[in-house]
Amino acid sequence: MTQAPPTAILSALAEEQGGLVAHLENPQQVQRAGRVFWSGLLHGQPVVLGLSRIGKVAAATTTAALIEGFGVERVLFTGVAGGVGPSVRVGDVVVGTGFVQHDMDASPLFPRFQVPLYGQTVFQGDAPLTALLVQACQAALRSGGVEGMPVAVHQGLIASGDQFVNGVQQSDAIVRSLQSHGHAPLAVEMEGAAVAQVCADYGIPFAAVRTISDRADDTAHVDFAQFVTQVASVYAHKIVNEFLLLL
Ligand code: ADE
């Protein structure tokens, strides 16, 4: 019997992947491009789990290796991000509808933020897959997050760049410059737009969810470190389980 192509589930860090590797049925380890991937079944669905590593280049390499090596049907990213939208709080989740590189600037050759030779600034998440992911988040977090805190599920633009945003001025500058070009981000992180671009190159549907670990302000590094170990994996696990049940 030939098996259906797998769903890839990527995160930057192991903590963001919700201990899913331990739940794999028939786990197989495969190494490619210096990365370790795990394939197997979760809820009867074929999946490949991988860690993108941190930053756009590492994430792009991981995504290309994953697509080339496993013939994946779709890519889901779960991780954490800094909240920069006014109503986006720590503990909320943001499902990305679009992805922009906040540090892309080939002006004056190309418009600011546009990815050169693509004629495109924002790479969209796959609409049907993103709608499923929103549904999965709502189901997973219906009874609240950690300690029953209510969790808002936002949908909107995620901005990626090779910076951990760790200051109000830094965060304001990113938000203001994107806004002045008509893009209002809800969250900042370091991989999503790279993964979205590679998936677009290969024509593979992509969706991403980020739990807000910090407000990208002066205490972001402290909030991030606590959140990623204590909360992120719980959310990721719940959301991925619901998502796979909906596929
Ligand atoms: N991931 C989580 N928090 C972040 C931040 N403040 N900046 C960049 N990536 C992040």
PDB file of all heavy atoms in Angstrom, residues 16 80-83 161 163-166 188-190 210-211 213-217 220-221 224, ligand 1:
ATOM      1  N   GLU A  16       8.899  24.179  21.190  1.00  0.00           N
ATOM      2  CA  GLU A  16       7.722  24.670  20.469  1.00  0.00           C
ATOM      3  C   GLU A  16       6.990  23.551  19.746  1.00  0.00           C
ATOM      4  O   GLU A  16       5.947  23.769  19.161  1.00  0.00           O
ATOM      5  CB  GLU A  16       8.150  25.724  19.438  1.00  0.00           C
ATOM      6  CG  GLU A  16       8.761  26.955  20.053  1.00  0.00           C
ATOM      7  CD  GLU A  16       9.393  27.857  19.004  1.00  0.00           C
ATOM      8  OE1 GLU A  16      10.357  27.444  18.339  1.00  0.00           O
ATOM      9  OE2 GLU A  16       8.913  28.980  18.839  1.00  0.00           O
ATOM     10  N   VAL A  80       6.578  30.279  18.741  1.00  0.00           N
ATOM     11  CA  VAL A  80       6.251  31.457  19.541  1.00  0.00           C
ATOM     12  C   VAL A  80       6.682  32.707  18.793  1.00  0.00           C
ATOM     13  O   VAL A  80       7.472  32.646  17.846  1.00  0.00           O
ATOM     14  CB  VAL A  80       6.893  31.408  20.946  1.00  0.00           C
ATOM     15  CG1 VAL A  80       6.368  30.231  21.742  1.00  0.00           C
ATOM     16  CG2 VAL A  80       8.409  31.378  20.861  1.00  0.00           C
ATOM     17  N   ALA A  81       6.135  33.841  19.220  1.00  0.00           N
ATOM     18  CA  ALA A  81       6.450  35.122  18.577  1.00  0.00           C
ATOM     19  C   ALA A  81       6.271  36.238  19.578  1.00  0.00           C
ATOM     20  O   ALA A  81       5.627  36.065  20.619  1.00  0.00           O
ATOM     21  CB  ALA A  81       5.530  35.345  17.374  1.00  0.00           C
ATOM     22  N   GLY A  82       6.825  37.386  19.232  1.00  0.00           N
ATOM     23  CA  GLY A  82       6.609  38.594  20.025  1.00  0.00           C
ATOM     24  C   GLY A  82       5.361  39.305  19.503  1.00  0.00           C
ATOM     25  O   GLY A  82       5.213  39.485  18.292  1.00  0.00           O
ATOM     26  N   GLY A  83       4.486  39.699  20.396  1.00  0.00           N
ATOM     27  CA  GLY A  83       3.250  40.391  19.992  1.00  0.00           C
ATOM     28  C   GLY A  83       3.525  41.865  19.758  1.00  0.00           C
ATOM     29  O   GLY A  83       4.101  42.528  20.625  1.00  0.00           O
ATOM     30  N   GLY A 161      12.207  38.412  10.633  1.00  0.00           N
ATOM     31  CA  GLY A 161      13.492  39.049  10.371  1.00  0.00           C
ATOM     32  C   GLY A 161      14.555  38.382  11.211  1.00  0.00           C
ATOM     33  O   GLY A 161      14.244  37.657  12.164  1.00  0.00           O
ATOM     34  N   GLN A 163      16.286  39.132  13.636  1.00  0.00           N
ATOM     35  CA  GLN A 163      16.498  39.893  14.876  1.00  0.00           C
ATOM     36  C   GLN A 163      15.554  39.357  15.935  1.00  0.00           C
ATOM     37  O   GLN A 163      14.367  39.174  15.633  1.00  0.00           O
ATOM     38  CB  GLN A 163      16.079  41.361  14.697  1.00  0.00           C
ATOM     39  CG  GLN A 163      16.932  42.185  13.798  1.00  0.00           C
ATOM     40  CD  GLN A 163      16.260  43.536  13.496  1.00  0.00           C
ATOM     41  OE1 GLN A 163      15.337  43.972  14.182  1.00  0.00           O
ATOM     42  NE2 GLN A 163      16.738  44.184  12.458  1.00  0.00           N
ATOM     43  N   PHE A 164      16.075  39.138  17.148  1.00  0.00           N
ATOM     44  CA  PHE A 164      15.172  38.951  18.279  1.00  0.00           C
ATOM     45  C   PHE A 164      14.804  40.356  18.733  1.00  0.00           C
ATOM     46  O   PHE A 164      15.678  41.138  19.118  1.00  0.00           O
ATOM     47  CB  PHE A 164      15.853  38.150  19.400  1.00  0.00           C
ATOM     48  CG  PHE A 164      14.908  37.865  20.527  1.00  0.00           C
ATOM     49  CD1 PHE A 164      14.012  36.807  20.448  1.00  0.00           C
ATOM     50  CD2 PHE A 164      14.886  38.683  21.644  1.00  0.00           C
ATOM     51  CE1 PHE A 164      13.102  36.560  21.475  1.00  0.00           C
ATOM     52  CE2 PHE A 164      13.985  38.441  22.685  1.00  0.00           C
ATOM     53  CZ  PHE A 164      13.095  37.376  22.589  1.00  0.00           C
ATOM     54  N   VAL A 165      13.552  40.712  18.640  1.00  0.00           N
ATOM     55  CA  VAL A 165      13.126  42.086  18.902  1.00  0.00           C
ATOM     56  C   VAL A 165      12.940  42.257  20.404  1.00  0.00           C
ATOM     57  O   VAL A 165      12.043  41.658  21.003  1.00  0.00           O
ATOM     58  CB  VAL A 165      11.846  42.441  18.113  1.00  0.00           C
ATOM     59  CG1 VAL A 165      11.481  43.900  18.324  1.00  0.00           C
ATOM     60  CG2 VAL A 165      12.047  42.143  16.629  1.00  0.00           C
ATOM     61  N   ASN A 166      13.784  43.070  20.987  1.00  0.00           N
ATOM     62  CA  ASN A 166      13.963  43.089  22.431  1.00  0.00           C
ATOM     63  C   ASN A 166      14.008  44.526  22.946  1.00  0.00           C
ATOM     64  O   ASN A 166      14.857  44.887  23.736  1.00  0.00           O
ATOM     65  CB  ASN A 166      15.265  42.334  22.751  1.00  0.00           C
ATOM     66  CG  ASN A 166      15.440  42.018  24.212  1.00  0.00           C
ATOM     67  OD1 ASN A 166      16.548  41.860  24.673  1.00  0.00           O
ATOM     68  ND2 ASN A 166      14.364  41.944  24.948  1.00  0.00           N
ATOM     69  N   VAL A 188       6.010  39.430  15.606  1.00  0.00           N
ATOM     70  CA  VAL A 188       7.329  39.323  14.975  1.00  0.00           C
ATOM     71  C   VAL A 188       7.986  38.013  15.404  1.00  0.00           C
ATOM     72  O   VAL A 188       7.866  37.593  16.549  1.00  0.00           O
ATOM     73  CB  VAL A 188       8.275  40.494  15.334  1.00  0.00           C
ATOM     74  CG1 VAL A 188       7.842  41.775  14.659  1.00  0.00           C
ATOM     75  CG2 VAL A 188       8.401  40.695  16.842  1.00  0.00           C
ATOM     76  N   GLU A 189       8.654  37.404  14.448  1.00  0.00           N
ATOM     77  CA  GLU A 189       9.431  36.192  14.732  1.00  0.00           C
ATOM     78  C   GLU A 189      10.560  36.109  13.722  1.00  0.00           C
ATOM     79  O   GLU A 189      10.860  37.113  13.074  1.00  0.00           O
ATOM     80  CB  GLU A 189       8.518  34.944  14.782  1.00  0.00           C
ATOM     81  CG  GLU A 189       7.391  34.907  13.778  1.00  0.00           C
ATOM     82  CD  GLU A 189       7.810  34.418  12.423  1.00  0.00           C
ATOM     83  OE1 GLU A 189       8.784  34.962  11.847  1.00  0.00           O
ATOM     84  OE2 GLU A 189       7.138  33.530  11.907  1.00  0.00           O
ATOM     85  N   MET A 190      11.180  34.944  13.581  1.00  0.00           N
ATOM     86  CA  MET A 190      12.439  34.907  12.820  1.00  0.00           C
ATOM     87  C   MET A 190      12.455  33.880  11.675  1.00  0.00           C
ATOM     88  O   MET A 190      13.505  33.648  11.099  1.00  0.00           O
ATOM     89  CB  MET A 190      13.602  34.652  13.793  1.00  0.00           C
ATOM     90  CG  MET A 190      13.698  35.721  14.874  1.00  0.00           C
ATOM     91  SD  MET A 190      15.047  35.466  16.051  1.00  0.00           S
ATOM     92  CE  MET A 190      16.464  35.794  15.039  1.00  0.00           C
ATOM     93  N   ARG A 210       1.511  31.081  15.813  1.00  0.00           N
ATOM     94  CA  ARG A 210       2.508  31.501  16.805  1.00  0.00           C
ATOM     95  C   ARG A 210       1.802  31.859  18.099  1.00  0.00           C
ATOM     96  O   ARG A 210       0.856  32.664  18.104  1.00  0.00           O
ATOM     97  CB  ARG A 210       3.258  32.736  16.295  1.00  0.00           C
ATOM     98  CG  ARG A 210       4.112  32.490  15.068  1.00  0.00           C
ATOM     99  CD  ARG A 210       5.436  31.861  15.419  1.00  0.00           C
ATOM    100  NE  ARG A 210       6.303  31.676  14.269  1.00  0.00           N
ATOM    101  CZ  ARG A 210       7.604  31.398  14.351  1.00  0.00           C
ATOM    102  NH1 ARG A 210       8.200  31.279  15.509  1.00  0.00           N
ATOM    103  NH2 ARG A 210       8.317  31.230  13.264  1.00  0.00           N
ATOM    104  N   THR A 211       2.263  31.281  19.193  1.00  0.00           N
ATOM    105  CA  THR A 211       1.780  31.680  20.513  1.00  0.00           C
ATOM    106  C   THR A 211       2.636  32.868  20.954  1.00  0.00           C
ATOM    107  O   THR A 211       3.856  32.867  20.743  1.00  0.00           O
ATOM    108  CB  THR A 211       1.931  30.507  21.509  1.00  0.00           C
ATOM    109  OG1 THR A 211       1.255  29.386  20.963  1.00  0.00           O
ATOM    110  CG2 THR A 211       1.317  30.851  22.843  1.00  0.00           C
ATOM    111  N   SER A 213       4.746  34.887  23.171  1.00  0.00           N
ATOM    112  CA  SER A 213       5.562  34.629  24.366  1.00  0.00           C
ATOM    113  C   SER A 213       5.982  35.915  25.063  1.00  0.00           C
ATOM    114  O   SER A 213       6.393  35.891  26.223  1.00  0.00           O
ATOM    115  CB  SER A 213       6.820  33.854  23.981  1.00  0.00           C
ATOM    116  OG  SER A 213       7.545  34.546  22.980  1.00  0.00           O
ATOM    117  N   ASP A 214       5.918  37.035  24.336  1.00  0.00           N
ATOM    118  CA  ASP A 214       6.437  38.301  24.871  1.00  0.00           C
ATOM    119  C   ASP A 214       5.883  39.423  24.024  1.00  0.00           C
ATOM    120  O   ASP A 214       5.248  39.188  23.007  1.00  0.00           O
ATOM    121  CB  ASP A 214       7.979  38.294  24.827  1.00  0.00           C
ATOM    122  CG  ASP A 214       8.491  38.124  23.409  1.00  0.00           C
ATOM    123  OD1 ASP A 214       8.636  39.139  22.721  1.00  0.00           O
ATOM    124  OD2 ASP A 214       8.718  36.983  22.955  1.00  0.00           O
ATOM    125  N   ARG A 215       6.132  40.662  24.433  1.00  0.00           N
ATOM    126  CA  ARG A 215       5.629  41.822  23.679  1.00  0.00           C
ATOM    127  C   ARG A 215       6.748  42.509  22.891  1.00  0.00           C
ATOM    128  O   ARG A 215       6.619  43.680  22.526  1.00  0.00           O
ATOM    129  CB  ARG A 215       4.958  42.814  24.640  1.00  0.00           C
ATOM    130  CG  ARG A 215       3.550  42.415  25.067  1.00  0.00           C
ATOM    131  CD  ARG A 215       2.511  42.640  23.968  1.00  0.00           C
ATOM    132  NE  ARG A 215       2.548  43.987  23.450  1.00  0.00           N
ATOM    133  CZ  ARG A 215       1.876  44.405  22.363  1.00  0.00           C
ATOM    134  NH1 ARG A 215       1.089  43.570  21.705  1.00  0.00           N
ATOM    135  NH2 ARG A 215       1.986  45.644  21.941  1.00  0.00           N
ATOM    136  N   ALA A 216       7.804  41.794  22.603  1.00  0.00           N
ATOM    137  CA  ALA A 216       8.928  42.332  21.817  1.00  0.00           C
ATOM    138  C   ALA A 216       9.461  43.635  22.434  1.00  0.00           C
ATOM    139  O   ALA A 216       9.931  44.519  21.732  1.00  0.00           O
ATOM    140  CB  ALA A 216       8.498  42.547  20.353  1.00  0.00           C
ATOM    141  N   ASP A 217       9.361  43.731  23.770  1.00  0.00           N
ATOM    142  CA  ASP A 217       9.800  44.941  24.462  1.00  0.00           C
ATOM    143  C   ASP A 217      11.061  44.655  25.283  1.00  0.00           C
ATOM    144  O   ASP A 217      11.711  43.630  25.079  1.00  0.00           O
ATOM    145  CB  ASP A 217       8.660  45.498  25.336  1.00  0.00           C
ATOM    146  CG  ASP A 217       8.155  44.455  26.327  1.00  0.00           C
ATOM    147  OD1 ASP A 217       8.835  43.413  26.507  1.00  0.00           O
ATOM    148  OD2 ASP A 217       7.082  44.667  26.914  1.00  0.00           O
ATOM    149  N   ALA A 220      11.478  41.207  26.742  1.00  0.00           N
ATOM    150  CA  ALA A 220      11.098  40.106  25.838  1.00  0.00           C
ATOM    151  C   ALA A 220      11.938  38.845  26.073  1.00  0.00           C
ATOM    152  O   ALA A 220      11.404  37.737  26.077  1.00  0.00           O
ATOM    153  CB  ALA A 220      11.233  40.551  24.383  1.00  0.00           C
ATOM    154  N   HIS A 221      13.240  39.013  26.308  1.00  0.00           N
ATOM    155  CA  HIS A 221      14.096  37.830  26.442  1.00  0.00           C
ATOM    156  C   HIS A 221      13.749  37.024  27.686  1.00  0.00           C
ATOM    157  O   HIS A 221      13.800  35.792  27.673  1.00  0.00           O
ATOM    158  CB  HIS A 221      15.585  38.232  26.432  1.00  0.00           C
ATOM    159  CG  HIS A 221      15.953  39.220  27.492  1.00  0.00           C
ATOM    160  ND1 HIS A 221      15.421  40.493  27.547  1.00  0.00           N
ATOM    161  CD2 HIS A 221      16.780  39.104  28.545  1.00  0.00           C
ATOM    162  CE1 HIS A 221      15.926  41.123  28.598  1.00  0.00           C
ATOM    163  NE2 HIS A 221      16.750  40.299  29.214  1.00  0.00           N
ATOM    164  N   PHE A 224      10.250  35.458  27.039  1.00  0.00           N
ATOM    165  CA  PHE A 224      10.415  34.401  26.036  1.00  0.00           C
ATOM    166  C   PHE A 224      10.940  33.119  26.686  1.00  0.00           C
ATOM    167  O   PHE A 224      10.388  32.038  26.490  1.00  0.00           O
ATOM    168  CB  PHE A 224      11.387  34.881  24.949  1.00  0.00           C
ATOM    169  CG  PHE A 224      11.837  33.802  24.012  1.00  0.00           C
ATOM    170  CD1 PHE A 224      11.061  33.468  22.910  1.00  0.00           C
ATOM    171  CD2 PHE A 224      13.022  33.115  24.223  1.00  0.00           C
ATOM    172  CE1 PHE A 224      11.463  32.460  22.031  1.00  0.00           C
ATOM    173  CE2 PHE A 224      13.430  32.113  23.352  1.00  0.00           C
ATOM    174  CZ  PHE A 224      12.647  31.787  22.258  1.00  0.00           C
TER     175      PHE A 224
HETATM  176  N1  ADE B   1      10.120  34.962  18.972  1.00  0.00           N
HETATM  177  C1  ADE B   1       9.525  35.123  20.158  1.00  0.00           C
HETATM  178  N2  ADE B   1       9.637  36.377  20.605  1.00  0.00           N
HETATM  179  C2  ADE B   1      10.334  37.038  19.657  1.00  0.00           C
HETATM  180  C3  ADE B   1      10.800  38.369  19.547  1.00  0.00           C
HETATM  181  N3  ADE B   1      10.567  39.248  20.494  1.00  0.00           N
HETATM  182  N4  ADE B   1      11.506  38.695  18.430  1.00  0.00           N
HETATM  183  C4  ADE B   1      11.754  37.781  17.483  1.00  0.00           C
HETATM  184  N5  ADE B   1      11.352  36.508  17.537  1.00  0.00           N
HETATM  185  C5  ADE B   1      10.638  36.138  18.619  1.00  0.00           C
END
